[in-house]
C-alpha cells in the first residue's frame, strides 16, 4: 500500500470542496470494509482519502411513518438493524443489512459504501431497489436526486462523478399491507458473496397484490429490477402458481455469467428458487403487517 | 447455547487411579493467549530490522529467461535483493523430515525458483528494505522475462505420455529405483498386494466399484507463515519463526544455505495453527540470505493471505478407484484400489499414506493397492492432518456403505463383521497392536444419536439423511528430549521442545506431574529451541503427547532417581533403600515429601537439573467412527450439518478438553473439505480464489456443536496408555457426509467438494 493523505471533513461543504480540488485521486472512506481491503491488495489507489463519517448529514438516520427513512450514506449496518421502527417498516432492507459480512463488518459497513462499490452482488442493492430507494448526491456545484435504479452503470461503475459523493439514501414510507424480503444464496452461512440475490416487495389489499417489485443481484452487470415479474403478480391473489410465474419472468430477465462463484445455469436456476421464496416471505410479512399492531413501543 | 454432555467410555477398568491425568486443568499458556501477550512471529522486533517481501510468478509454468533487479536495488531504502542465482544448489538427497520425507534440492527450488517457475505464486525474487512499503515498491521494479509454457493441472492429464513435463530429470521410481529412462510427471508407483484379488472377487456375491475425485485443499491455519532471520557477522544464523519442526527446519536451512547445523539456531515462536503445513521452510532461508546480503541486519518477512494460499501447503487433489466385493454373510472377500495423488510442483504427495489408510479398518485376505505420486503445476503438496487419509477414506468408506446397503445390512453391523483387531495385519505390513476400532463402532451403535429417529426436514424442499464412516491413522512415536530444573520451592521448571499446537504444554506437564506425584501447578512448562533443549522430532503425526509424553515420563523417573539420592544423602543411607510412593520418599519410618526435599537441595549436593533424550516406539494407530445427520435443500443444493457425533479410540485422554478439541477441529476441517473447500484454477493455471472469502472454509455458523465419545482403550506401550488423537478425526467426515447425502437424496456423490452446484448437477437440476 502506498502512502496517502487522510482528511476528515466536518461538513458537507468542506468535503465537496476537497473532492472538487483533488478530483479523481480522492476516495471517500466510509466504513472502509471495501476500500481498505482494495488499497491493500493494490486494486485501488488514492492520493487523498476523505473520511466522510464526521459529516453530520452522512451520519444521520431519520425515520418517520409519513416521510419515510433518510439514511446517511455513512451510517453502519448495525445502526440500521438495531433501530426497532426501521426494522419493522423495511423488512427487506433489514434482511440485507443483517447479512452483510458478519457482526464486526456490520459495525463498520455503510450502505453508501455498498452502493458506491456497485458490485452486482452487493446485498443491499436489490433490497433498496424493491424499497424504491432514491439517492441524494452532492458536489461543490450543488445536489441532485435520482432513483437508485438510475445510479448503477456496470460492475464497479456508477453515475457518480469524481467530485461527487452520496449524501443520503431515501426510502419512502411503506403503505399499509406492505411486505418485503431479501434472500441470497451463498454456499456458506456467512462471510460469503451472493451467488444470486433476490429482493421482493408486495402490497396486499383485500387479498390481492396491488403493487410488486422484484430485483435481482449477481445475475447482470448491475442489480436489476424486473418489471415483468411485477406484472405477473399485480392484480392476482398470492399463490404458489403466481409466484412461479413471477419467478419464471425473473429467470428470463436474468443475464448470468459463469465465474468462480457459480455457473450461469446454476444462477439462472437459483433466480427462480429465490424469487419464489422471497415472494412467499414478502407476502407472509405483508399479511402480518395488516394485522392490528401493538401501538405502544 | 447448549452444553453437550461429552462422553467417555473406559474399556479397561484399571486399578490405577490418577492424580493429575484425566483432569481438565487450565493451560499454562492460557492467560498470554487470551490477553494477546503471547509472542508470535509477528511480534518479533529487533534493532536495525529490515522488512522482506517476495516477488511471485504470475504464471503456472514458465521458463525464467532473465531477471533484472537493478532498478529495485537503486531504490532508496532497499538493502538487498535476491533471486535463484543467490542459492547454491542443494543436494538431491531424500531424508525423513516432519511427517514425511524431504528432498533438499526440491525444497530449495520450492523456496526460490531456479530456471523454471512451476506454479502460480512460485517465488522468483525477494527484497529487503527499511520498511515494508519500500520493499513492496521494489518488487514492482524487478523485471522478469518469462517464456510461458503450457501448464498441466490435473493428475490424470499429467500422467499422459504427451503431457507437458515439469521436471526434465524426473524418472518414475518403484520401490525407490528408477524403472524407465523416459521423462515423466509420475514420480513414483508403489503397490501393496496380498492374497489373490481375482479369486476374492470371484467369491463375492456383491461387488461395488467406483471412481472418486477430490480437490486441492489447504490446511487453512490462521497465522500466515513468517520468519525473522539474523545472519550475524560471526557466521551464526538465528531464525525466529512459526514452525511445527524447529530441528527439521534447522537441517533444511543447513542444506539450503550450506551452513553447518551448529551455526543455526531456530527459535519456534507461538504458533497460530499448522496442521502439517508448517513442517518445512519457506521464508526462513530467504530472510537469512537477505540478512547476509544486507550486511548482517535482521530481516523480517511474513506472508499475506494470498501468498499463503498460492505458495504454501496445500494437500493433494486425487483420483481414486475402489472395488470391493463381499459375500452375502457380510464378509469382504477382496478389496482393490488405485490411487493417483497430485504432488504439486515437486514429488512428495501423501499417496503412500493414502494407500495405508484406504482399507485399514478392515481385516482383508485379498487386497491390491496401487499408488501414484504425480507432479502438476500447483504448489508443492505439504502434509495436512492425516495426510492423504481423507481422500482415501472418502472413496473406500463410500463403497463400504454401498456394499452394506446392497447386502441389506446396517452399515455399522457390516463394518463390525469385517473390523480389524489386535493381531490383524495392515495392508502396508505391520500387525495391529491393541486397537479399539470395534469399540468405536459399538460406541456409535449405542449412542443416542444413532438410536434416535432422524429429525423432520425444516422445509418442504429439504430432505434429511444419516451417514456413518470410519477412519484410521497410523500415529507416530519418534524422538524427544526434555530437561528440568528442580527448584528449592518444590516446583519443577520443565523445558520441552515440542511446539505447542494443541495444548501439549498442559498434557506433557500433566504427565511429568503424574510421574513425580506432585501437583500439576508445580510443573512450569516452557517450549525451548534448537539451542536450549535436546533434539525433538516435529509436532506432527499425532506424536507429541505420546513421544514427548514418554520423554516427560523418563524425565520424571530421572528426577525421582536423583531425589532418592538426595534423601539418601540427607539420612546417610543407601539410595537404593529409599522407597518412593507418590511424592513421598521414605527410608523405614523416616519420610519426606518432594517439596520438603526440594528445600534441602542446597545441603544435599546443591542445584539439581536433569535432561533426557528418548527414541520412542510403540505408537498404536487411532481408529474412529463418525455419524452425521444432514439436511439437503434439493432446490439450491445446499447441505447443512444438523448433528455430528464422533467416537474415537483415544488410548487415554490425558487432558480430555484438548482431546475433544482435536476431534472438534478435525471434524470441522473435514466438513469444510467435504462441502466447499477447493482450489479453483483457470485454464492457464491461475489460482482464482486465493482469499479466505472465496476459499470457503466453514465458519462457526456452518458447523453444529460436535459431540464426542472418547473411547479409552489404553496403549500398553505407553506408561499412561496414550495413543495419538490429533489426525484421525479428519479422516471419516467426507465419507460420512457423502453417505448421509445419499440417504437423503438417493445420489452417491463421488467428487469433493460436495458443493451446492455439484448436488444440483447430481440431481439433474442443472447441466
Ligand atoms: C469480510 C467482509 C465481508 C463482506 N461481506 C459482504 C456481504 O456479505 N455483502 C456485501 O454486499 N458486501 C460485503 N462486503 C463488502 C463491504 O463490506 C460492503 O460493500 C460495505 O457495505 C461497504 O461499506 P463501507 O462503508 O465499508 O465502504 P468503504 O470501504 O468505506 O467504501 C467503499 C467504496 O465506496 C466509496 N464510498 C463510500 N461511501 C461513499 C459516499 N458516501 N460517497 C461516495 N463514495 C463513497 C469508497 O470510496 C469506496 O470506493 C464484505 C466485506 C468484507 C471485508
Amino acid at each position: 500500500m502506498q502512502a496517502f493523505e487522510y482528511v476528515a471533513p466536518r461538513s458537507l461543504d468542506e468535503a465537496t470542496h476537497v473532492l472538487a480540488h483533488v478530483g479523481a485521486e480522492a476516495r471517500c472512506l466510509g466504513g472502509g470494509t471495501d476500500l481498505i481491503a482494495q488499497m491493500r491488495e493494490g486494486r485501488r489507489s488514492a492520493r487523498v482519502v476523505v473520511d466522510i463519517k464526521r459529516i453530520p448529514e452522512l451520519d444521520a438516520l431519520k425515520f418517520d411513518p409519513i416521510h419515510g427513512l433518510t439514511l446517511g450514506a455513512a451510517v453502519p449496518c448495525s445502526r440500521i438493524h438495531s433501530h426497532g421502527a426501521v426494522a419493522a417498516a423495511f423488512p427487506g432492507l433489514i434482511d440485507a443489512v443483517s447479512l452483510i459480512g458478519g457482526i464486526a463488518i456490520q459495525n463498520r459497513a455503510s450502505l453508501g459504501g455498498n452502493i458506491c462499490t456497485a458490485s452486482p452482488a452487493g446485498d443491499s442493492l436489490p433490497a433498496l431497489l424493491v424499497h424504491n430507494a432514491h439517492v441524494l448526491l452532492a458536489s461543490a456545484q450543488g445536489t441532485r436526486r435520482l432513483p437508485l435504479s438510475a445510479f448503477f452503470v456496470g460492475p464497479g461503475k456508477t453515475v457518480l462523478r469524481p467530485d461527487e459523493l452520496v449524501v443520503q439514501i431515501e426510502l419512502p414510507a411503506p403503505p399499509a399491507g406492505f411486505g418485503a424480503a431479501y434472500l441470497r444464496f451463498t454456499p456458506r452461512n456467512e462471510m460469503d458473496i451472493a451467488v444470486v440475490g433476490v429482493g421482493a416487495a408486495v402490497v396486499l389489499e383485500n387479498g390481492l397484490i396491488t403493487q410488486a417489485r422484484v430485483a435481482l443481484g449477481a445475475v447482470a452487470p448491475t442489480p436489476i429490477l424486473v418489471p415483468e415479474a411485477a406484472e405477473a403478480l399485480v392484480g392476482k391473489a398470492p399463490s404458489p402458481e403466481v409466484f412461479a410465474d413471477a419467478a419464471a419472468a425473473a429467470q428470463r430477465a436474468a443475464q448470468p455469467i459463469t465465474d468462480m462463484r457459480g455457473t450461469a445455469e446454476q444462477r439462472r436456476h437459483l433466480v427462480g428458487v429465490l424469487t419464489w421464496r422471497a415472494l412467499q416471505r414478502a407476502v407472509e410479512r405483508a399479511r402480518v403487517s395488516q394485522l392490528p399492531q401493538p401501538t405502544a413501543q | 447455547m447448549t452444553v453437550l454432555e461429552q462422553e467417555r467410555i473406559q474399556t479397561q477398568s484399571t486399578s490405577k487411579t490418577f492424580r493429575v491425568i484425566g483432569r481438565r486443568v487450565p493451560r499454562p499458556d492460557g492467560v498470554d493467549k487470551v490477553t494477546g501477550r503471547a509472542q508470535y512471529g509477528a511480534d518479533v522486533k529487533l534493532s536495525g530490522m529490515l522488512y522482506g517481501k517476495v516477488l511471485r510468478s504470475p504464471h503456472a509454468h514458465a521458463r525464467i529467461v532473465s531477471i533484472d533487479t537493478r532498478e529495485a536495488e537503486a531504490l532508496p531504502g532497499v538493502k538487498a535483493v535476491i533471486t535463484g542465482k543467490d542459492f547454491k544448489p542443494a543436494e538431491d538427497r531424500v531424508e525423513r523430515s516432519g511427517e514425511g520425507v524431504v528432498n533438499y534440492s526440491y525444497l530449495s527450488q520450492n523456496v526460490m525458483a531456479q530456471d523454471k517457475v512451476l506454479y502460480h505464486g512460485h517465488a522468483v525474487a525477494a527484497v529487503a528494505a527499511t520498511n515494508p512499503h519500500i520493499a513492496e515498491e521494489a518488487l514492482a521494479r524487478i523485471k522478469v522475462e518469462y517464456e510461458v509454457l503450457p501448464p498441466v493441472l490435473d493428475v490424470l492429464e499429467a500422467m499422459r505420455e504427451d503431457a507437458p513435463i515439469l521436471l526434465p530429470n524426473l524418472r518414475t521410481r518403484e520401490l525407490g529405483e528408477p524403472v524407465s529412462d523416459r521423462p515423466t510427471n509420475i514420480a513414483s508407483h508403489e503397490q501393496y498386494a496380498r492374497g489373490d484379488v481375482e479369486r476374492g472377487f470371484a467369491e463375492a456375491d456383491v461387488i461395488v466399484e467406483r471412481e472418486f475425485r477430490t480437490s486441492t485443499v489447504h490446511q487453512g491455519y490462521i497465522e500466515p507463515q513468517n520468519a525473522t532471520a539474523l545472519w550475524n557477522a560471526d557466521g551464526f544464523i538465528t531464525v525466529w519463526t512459526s514452525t511445527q519442526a524447529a530441528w527439521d527446519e534447522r537441517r533444511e536451512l543447513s542444506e539450503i544455505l550450506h551452513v553447518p547445523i551448529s551455526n543455526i539456531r531456530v527459535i519456534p515462536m507461538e504458533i497460530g495453527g499448522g496442521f502439517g503445513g508448517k513442517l518445512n521452510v519457506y521464508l526462513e532461508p530467504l530472510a537469512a540470505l537477505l540478512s547476509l546480503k544486507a550486511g548482517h541486519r535482521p530481516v523480517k518477512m511474513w506472508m499475506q493471505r494470498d501468498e499463503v494460499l498460492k505458495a504454501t501447503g496445500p494437500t493433494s487433489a486425487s483420483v481414486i478407484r475402489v472395488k470391493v466385493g463381499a459375500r452375502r454373510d457380510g464378509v469382504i472377500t477382496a478389496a482393490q484400489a488405485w490411487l493417483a495423488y497430485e504432488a504439486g510442483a515437486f514429488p512428495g504427495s501423501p499417496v503412500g499414506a493414502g494407500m495405508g489408510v484406504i482399507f485399514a479398518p478392515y481385516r482383508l485376505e485379498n487386497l491390491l493397492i496401487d499408488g501414484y505420486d504425480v507432479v502438476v503445476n500447483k504448489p508443492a503438496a505439504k502434509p495436512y492432518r492425516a495426510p492423504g487419509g481423507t481422500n482415501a477414506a472418502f472413496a473406500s468408506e463410500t463403497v463400504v456403505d454401498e456394499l452394506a446397503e446392497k447386502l441389506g445390512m446396517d452399515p455399522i453391523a457390516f463394518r463390525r463383521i469385517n473390523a480389524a483387531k489386535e493381531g490383524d495385519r495392515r495392508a502396508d505390513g505391520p500387525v495391529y497392536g491393541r486397537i479399539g476400532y470395534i469399540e468405536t463402532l459399538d460406541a456409535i451403535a449405542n449412542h443416542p444419536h444413532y438410536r434416535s429417529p432422524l429429525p423432520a426436514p425444516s422445509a418442504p424442499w429439504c430432505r434429511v439423511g444419516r451417514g456413518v464412516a470410519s477412519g484410521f491413522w497410523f500415529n507416530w512415536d519418534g524422538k524427544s528430549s526434555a530437561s528440568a530444573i528442580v527448584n528449592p520451592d518444590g516446583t519443577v521448571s520443565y523445558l520441552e521442545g515440542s511446539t505447542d499446537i494443541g495444548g501439549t504444554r498442559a498434557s506433557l506437564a500433566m504427565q511429568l506431574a503424574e510421574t513425580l506425584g506432585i501437583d500439576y501447578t508445580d510443573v512450569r512448562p516452557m517450549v525451548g529451541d534448537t539451542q536450549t533443549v535436546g533434539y525433538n522430532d516435529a509436532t506432527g503425526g499425532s506424536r507429541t503427547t505420546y513421544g514427548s509424553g514418554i520423554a516427560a515420563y523418563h524425565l520424571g523417573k530421572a528426577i525421582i532417581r536423583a531425589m532418592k539420592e538426595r534423601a539418601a544423602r540427607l539420612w546417610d543411607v543407601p539410595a537404593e533403600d529409599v522407597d518412593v510412593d507418590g511424592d513421598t520418599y521414605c527410608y523405614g519410618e523416616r519420610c519426606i515429601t518432594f517439596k520438603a526435599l526440594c528445600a534441602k537441595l542446597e545441603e544435599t549436593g546443591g542445584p539439581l537439573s536433569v535432561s533426557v533424550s528418548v527414541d520412542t516406539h510403540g505408537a498404536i494407530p487411532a481408529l474412529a467412527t463418525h455419524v452425521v445427520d444432514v439436511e439437503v435443500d434439493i432446490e439450491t443444493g445446499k447441505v447443512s450439518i444438523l448433528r455430528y457425533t464422533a467416537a474415537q479410540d483415544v488410548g487415554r485422554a490425558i487432558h480430555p478438553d484438548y482431546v475433544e478439541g482435536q476431534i472438534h477441529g478435525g471434524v470441522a476441517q473435514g466438513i469444510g473439505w467435504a462441502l466447499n473447500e477447493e482450489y479453483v484454477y483457470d485454464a492457464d493455471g491461475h489460482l482464482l480464489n486465493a482469499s479466505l472469502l472465496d476459499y470457503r472454509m466453514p465458519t462457526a455458523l456452518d458447523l453444529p456443536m460436535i459431540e464426542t465419545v472418547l473411547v479409552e482403550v489404553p496403549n500398553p506401550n505407553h506408561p499412561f496408555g496414550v495413543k495419538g488423537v490429533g489426525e484421525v478425526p479428519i479422516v471419516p467426515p467426507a465419507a460420512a457426509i457423502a453417505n448421509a447425502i445419499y440417504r437423503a437424496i438417493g445420489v452417491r456423490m463421488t467428487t469433493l467438494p460436495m458443493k451446492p452446484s455439484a448436488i444440483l448437477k447430481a440431481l439433474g437440476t442443472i447441466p
Side-chain angles (χ1 to χ4, degrees):
Chain A
M1 181 148 75
Q2 297 304 304
F4 55 82
E5 249 178 85
Y6 170 88
V7 291
R10 303 269 171 176
S11 72
L12 201 50
D13 269 359
E14 208 186 315
T16 51
H17 184 79
V18 172
L19 292 180
H21 192 69
V22 184
E25 289 182 300
R27 277 268 141 203
C28 291
L29 174 77
T33 61
D34 276 320
L35 186 64
I36 292 174
Q38 288 168 352
M39 287 177 68
R40 285 189 58 164
E41 288 164 14
R43 288 190 286 140
R44 237 190 235 296
S45 64
R47 189 165 63 76
V48 180
V49 168
V50 186
D51 189 340
I52 53 176
K53 290 188 287 296
R54 299 189 190 170
I55 305 169
E57 291 89 335
L58 278 86
D59 190 43
L61 187 162
K62 281 179 289 189
F63 173 66
D64 77 72
I66 311 296
H67 300 102
L69 176 64
T70 306
L71 262 178
V75 172
C77 291
S78 56
R79 245 174 81 198
I80 304 171
H81 62 64
S82 61
H83 191 295
V86 171
F90 302 95
L93 175 67
I94 298 308
D95 286 343
V97 295
S98 334
L99 275 177
I100 292 177
I103 289 168
I105 294 293
Q106 286 158 25
N107 285 337
R108 302 293 293 179
S110 68
L111 294 192
N114 204 227
I115 65 169
C116 290
T117 289
S119 157
D123 280 308
S124 77
L125 282 42
L128 288 170
L129 285 174
V130 299
H131 279 293
N132 200 12
H134 285 64
V135 283
L136 182 71
L137 316 181
S139 69
Q141 260 104 66
T143 62
R144 51 179 180 146
R145 187 173 179 276
L146 52 145
L148 184 65
S149 53
F151 183 71
F152 304 106
V153 176
K157 293 204 179 74
T158 68
V159 299
L160 204 67
R161 297 191 312 258
D163 66 334
E164 257 179 334
L165 52 68
V166 178
V167 179
Q168 61 199 36
I169 302 166
E170 301 159 6
L171 277 65
F178 178 85
Y182 172 75
L183 289 179
R184 70 172 186 184
F185 181 75
T186 55
R188 288 195 292 198
N189 289 326
E190 63 172 344
M191 288 295 171
D192 215 336
I193 307 275
V195 178
V196 169
V198 176
V202 296
V203 177
L204 279 187
E205 275 172 69
N206 304 319
L208 294 184
I209 300 172
T210 55
Q211 292 177 43
R213 284 176 161 254
V214 172
L216 311 179
V219 290
T222 67
I224 51 170
L225 274 166
V226 188
E228 300 83 354
E231 279 160 29
L233 296 160
V234 171
K236 313 259 171 63
S239 72
E241 295 73 33
V242 167
F243 298 162
D245 289 344
Q251 282 181 300
R252 283 191 295 274
Q255 313 143 36
I257 55 161
T258 293
D259 67 12
M260 177 222 337
R261 297 186 180 121
T263 64
E265 294 79 18
Q266 181 192 11
R267 287 196 160 103
R268 193 178 295 282
H269 168 76
L270 288 172
V271 165
V273 174
L274 294 191
T275 302
W276 195 97
R277 291 185 189 177
L279 281 168
Q280 192 204 36
R281 186 168 293 188
V283 165
E284 255 168 47
R285 286 172 172 168
R287 289 196 172 117
V288 171
S289 81
Q290 289 175 314
L291 300 176
Q293 299 291 313
T295 44
Q297 272 284 336
Chain B
M1 194 177 76
T2 43
V3 176
L4 293 167
E5 201 44 52
Q6 304 288 354
E7 216 180 309
R8 287 174 76 191
I9 298 175
Q10 263 146 1
T11 55
Q12 189 176 299
S13 59
T14 43
S15 53
K16 219 184 210 165
T17 50
F18 293 113
R19 183 190 161 89
V20 178
I21 283 171
R23 286 173 43 204
R24 298 171 189 263
V25 296
R27 61 196 291 163
D29 48 323
V31 168
D32 279 354
K33 293 238 168 104
V34 300
T35 56
R37 212 161 266 138
Q39 293 285 308
Y40 290 84
D43 300 311
V44 175
K45 258 206 175 106
L46 303 170
S47 54
M49 192 166 82
L50 302 173
Y51 298 84
K53 293 263 177 201
V54 179
L55 182 69
R56 297 184 180 278
S57 167
H59 306 295
H61 195 189
R63 198 176 311 287
I64 299 174
V65 178
S66 65
I67 305 181
D68 182 349
T69 59
R70 282 170 302 183
E71 272 188 42
E73 279 153 15
L75 188 68
V78 171
K79 299 295 175 191
V81 181
I82 56 169
T83 68
K85 289 207 170 59
D86 293 275
F87 288 77
K88 260 196 281 171
E91 230 183 287
D92 190 0
R93 195 175 83 245
V94 178
E95 266 186 9
R96 199 202 53 68
S97 161
E99 273 188 271
V101 295
V102 60
N103 174 314
Y104 295 114
S105 168
Y106 291 149
L107 187 69
S108 176
Q109 293 173 60
N110 190 39
V111 300
M112 184 64 82
Q114 289 296 325
D115 45 343
K116 266 176 100 180
V117 290
L118 295 169
Y119 54 92
H120 177 209
H122 200 162
V124 293
V127 173
T130 47
N131 75 48
H133 306 291
I134 295 177
E136 206 173 279
E137 179 154 357
L139 294 184
R141 298 179 179 217
I142 298 175
K143 294 198 191 82
V144 187
E145 195 188 325
Y146 295 98
E147 176 197 337
V148 178
L149 303 169
V152 56
L153 298 159
D154 172 83
V155 65
L156 294 185
E157 274 167 37
M159 291 174 85
R160 291 166 53 134
E161 281 189 19
D162 57 353
I165 295 292
L166 273 75
L167 305 166
N169 297 326
L170 188 67
R171 300 292 178 271
T172 304
R173 286 167 182 263
E174 287 181 7
L175 293 171
E177 294 303 319
V179 291
S180 145
D181 202 32
R182 205 161 36 81
T184 178
N185 294 318
I186 304 174
S188 71
H189 166 223
E190 301 298 341
Q191 187 176 75
Y192 298 145
R194 181 189 305 157
D196 179 347
V197 283
E198 290 314 317
R199 209 189 57 219
F201 285 123
E203 281 171 20
D205 295 308
V206 185
I207 295 174
V208 174
E209 186 172 5
R210 283 190 181 274
E211 179 174 294
F212 299 85
R213 275 178 174 266
T214 73
S215 300
T216 308
V217 296
H218 196 269
Q219 291 80 350
Y221 35 81
I222 290 304
E223 182 205 22
Q225 261 83 1
N226 58 75
T228 304
L230 171 63
W231 190 318
N232 220 341
D234 57 9
F236 284 86
I237 301 171
T238 307
V239 177
W240 296 259
T241 184
S242 173
T243 178
Q244 299 174 243
W247 283 265
D248 291 328
E249 291 209 352
R250 180 178 67 168
R251 178 95 219 150
E252 292 170 1
L253 284 165
S254 160
E255 295 282 340
I256 292 171
L257 302 173
H258 304 272
V259 169
I261 56 166
S262 51
N263 279 24
I264 302 170
R265 178 179 181 190
V266 176
I267 302 177
M269 306 300 291
E270 292 293 350
I271 186 165
F275 311 108
K278 290 183 182 161
L279 291 164
N280 301 105
V281 294
Y282 290 99
L283 296 174
E284 293 85 342
L286 277 51
L289 270 185
L290 286 168
S291 171
L292 175 68
K293 233 180 159 174
H296 310 291
R297 286 175 71 171
V299 175
K300 178 172 181 170
M301 305 181 81
W302 66 95
M303 290 196 193
Q304 300 296 315
R305 184 66 57 189
D306 66 314
E307 298 182 276
V308 171
L309 289 164
K310 279 178 193 158
T312 75
T315 194
S316 306
S318 55
V319 173
I320 303 176
R321 300 177 188 132
V322 174
K323 181 178 177 187
V324 183
R327 284 199 313 254
R328 212 160 286 124
D329 63 2
V331 173
I332 295 176
T333 55
Q336 189 172 350
W338 183 97
L339 304 88
Y341 278 40
E342 292 178 2
F346 300 101
S349 78
V351 68
M355 293 165 69
V357 167
I358 196 155
F359 298 127
Y362 307 107
R363 186 174 1 96
L364 297 171
E365 274 165 28
N366 304 304
L367 64 84
L368 183 63
I369 304 171
D370 286 283
Y372 296 84
D373 183 32
V374 184
V375 294
V376 297
N377 292 109
K378 294 183 183 178
K382 296 289 161 162
Y384 175 20
R385 203 170 201 149
T390 304
N391 324 35
F394 169 58
S396 55
E397 286 295 287
T398 299
V399 167
V400 164
D401 190 70
E402 192 169 353
L403 272 174
E405 184 210 359
K406 293 226 153 103
L407 291 166
M409 298 182 81
D410 171 84
I412 293 183
F414 177 67
R415 284 177 171 83
R416 211 177 184 290
I417 291 171
N418 296 288
K421 295 193 284 292
E422 183 171 8
D424 289 331
R425 185 173 288 280
R426 283 164 28 192
D428 55 332
V431 171
Y432 276 121
R434 182 67 180 94
I435 52 168
Y437 178 40
I438 289 178
E439 288 82 349
T440 69
L441 288 169
D442 291 346
I444 291 297
N446 297 323
H447 194 275
H449 178 175
Y450 197 66
R451 303 182 80 97
S452 65
L454 271 168
S458 66
W461 45 80
C462 289
R463 306 285 179 271
V464 292
R466 174 171 296 161
V468 180
S470 296
F472 156 95
W473 187 247
F474 304 85
N475 288 341
W476 182 26
D477 22 46
K479 303 169 186 64
S480 289
S481 305
S483 47
I485 303 163
V486 180
N487 300 308
D489 64 357
T491 61
V492 176
S493 306
Y494 165 42
L495 188 67
E496 43 108 351
S498 295
T499 303
D500 183 354
I501 215 166
T504 49
R505 275 190 191 80
S507 58
L508 295 177
M510 289 170 81
Q511 295 184 64
L512 180 55
E514 189 72 50
T515 309
L516 291 172
I518 63 175
D519 287 349
Y520 163 72
T521 47
D522 283 339
V523 175
R524 308 288 163 77
M526 198 181 130
V527 181
D529 62 63
T530 60
Q531 200 82 351
T532 58
V533 63
Y535 177 89
N536 279 265
D537 275 328
T539 294
S542 301
R543 68 168 291 277
T544 304
T545 306
Y546 183 86
S548 297
I550 292 178
Y553 173 77
H554 286 294
L555 185 67
K557 288 296 182 195
I559 294 171
I560 291 170
R561 277 196 300 279
M563 291 298 271
K564 275 168 81 166
E565 275 171 27
R566 298 306 177 100
R569 214 180 278 195
L570 187 67
W571 298 320
D572 199 16
V573 299
E576 57 271 26
D577 294 341
V578 175
D579 295 321
V580 186
D581 183 17
D583 71 338
T584 310
Y585 293 70
C586 294
Y587 176 78
E589 297 292 287
R590 268 183 289 185
C591 288
I592 187 165
T593 62
F594 182 86
K595 208 161 220 152
L597 193 51
C598 287
K600 303 213 179 290
L601 286 177
E602 244 346 87
E603 61 202 74
T604 56
L608 174 57
S609 62
V610 179
S611 296
V612 300
S613 289
V614 292
D615 185 1
T616 72
H617 300 279
I620 288 182
L623 283 119
T625 301
H626 294 188
V627 56
V628 59
D629 294 350
V630 303
E631 179 170 85
V632 185
D633 181 329
I634 56 169
E635 291 184 352
T636 64
K638 186 159 164 171
V639 175
S640 304
I641 309 292
L642 301 178
R643 186 172 183 185
Y644 203 108
T645 305
Q648 182 174 325
D649 169 21
V650 302
R652 170 102 54 213
I654 299 292
H655 193 308
D657 278 353
Y658 303 148
V659 174
E660 286 153 10
Q662 289 296 313
I663 297 175
H664 296 158
V667 169
Q669 289 182 314
I671 290 173
W673 194 338
L675 293 183
N676 283 308
E677 291 181 38
E678 64 177 326
Y679 271 34
V680 182
Y681 285 94
D682 68 13
D684 298 326
H686 299 115
L687 181 60
L688 299 178
N689 61 337
S691 78
L692 292 190
L693 185 56
D694 288 313
Y695 179 79
R696 292 171 171 132
M697 296 199 288
T699 71
L701 291 189
D702 301 302
L703 298 168
M705 294 299 286
I706 294 159
E707 297 168 67
T708 59
V709 185
L710 307 185
V711 180
E712 298 190 296
V713 181
N715 178 352
N717 306 325
H718 186 281
F720 305 116
V722 168
K723 289 176 182 165
V725 301
E727 289 172 288
V728 78
I730 199 175
V731 179
I737 292 167
N739 294 336
I741 291 172
Y742 171 73
R743 307 281 160 167
I745 61 172
V747 179
R748 288 275 173 205
M749 298 301 294
T750 55
T751 299
L752 296 185
M754 300 177 280
K755 56 186 177 180
S757 57
I759 300 274
L760 288 182
K761 279 183 195 158
L763 286 168
T765 308
I766 57 170

